[in-house]
Amino acid sequence: MVDKKGIAVLASGRGSDLQSILDAVSSGLIATGEVRIVVSDRPDAPALDRGRRHGAEAVHVAPVAKAEGGRAQNERDVMAAIDAAGGVDLVVLAGYMRLLSPLFVDAYHDRLINIHPALLPAFKGVDGPGDALRYGVKVAGCTTHFVDHEMDAGPVILQGAVLVHPDDDRDALAARILALEHQILPRTVDLFLQDRLTRDGRLVRVADGDTWHGRVDPVPEALYPYGF
Ligand code: GRF
């Protein structure tokens, strides 16, 4: 494999967002990169198995007690694991449930992205779909963004929207949003690896090029962004 760019994915749980990236690499939708390493803060995270099955390195990096350096040491451990994997151009937070300090964020400035299950800047935090439903919005969705010092606040890359159905409960809405995440996230990775994303302050411009329309089955009723 010549000159493929390297991706590191940080994930805490089931890893379906990670899987969407692995699948896009396997199918050739992402043609210019490969997942080199998956890092999890939980030893039993299914995400680690998904990474291993794909042939990526899969590393558990345990949280560190305060007396032994706490969050800063944990982040240095994660960075060391990424460095050891080698050739990582992009770091993706895919359901990574730890807040990252400026130490980490600055180390990967402009090459650290996150997926959030809400239309930011609304419904930041741990339960985007539930918060959106309780608020009573009629349209919900997901957002990929570059990571800045503030949580869920960096420049938006792509967003996808779905309708909120009158009979939705939290899990039904979250599942519909997740189906869209599984297209918006790998496409964001693809655009990054194709060097098609340019930051202009808060605005992220997507340069013209290929499209995934016609290459993936659209999520029913979903609204896709320019650039997809
Ligand atoms: C996704 O909804 C993601 O947006 C959120 O956490 C969830 C991760 O799901 N931050 P999975 O572990 O990738 O299946």
Side-chain angles (χ1 to χ4, degrees), residues 78-95:
V78 174
M79 292 190 276
I82 292 172
D83 279 354
V88 168
D89 299 282
L90 171 67
V91 178
V92 180
L93 307 178

Side-chain angles (χ1 to χ4, degrees), residues 13-18 94-97 114-117 178 181-182:
R14 120 198 101 169
S16 70
D17 277 337
L18 160 68
Y96 190 61
M97 300 312 281
N114 181 44
I115 174 104
H116 181 72
L178 192 65
E181 289 181 40
H182 294 161

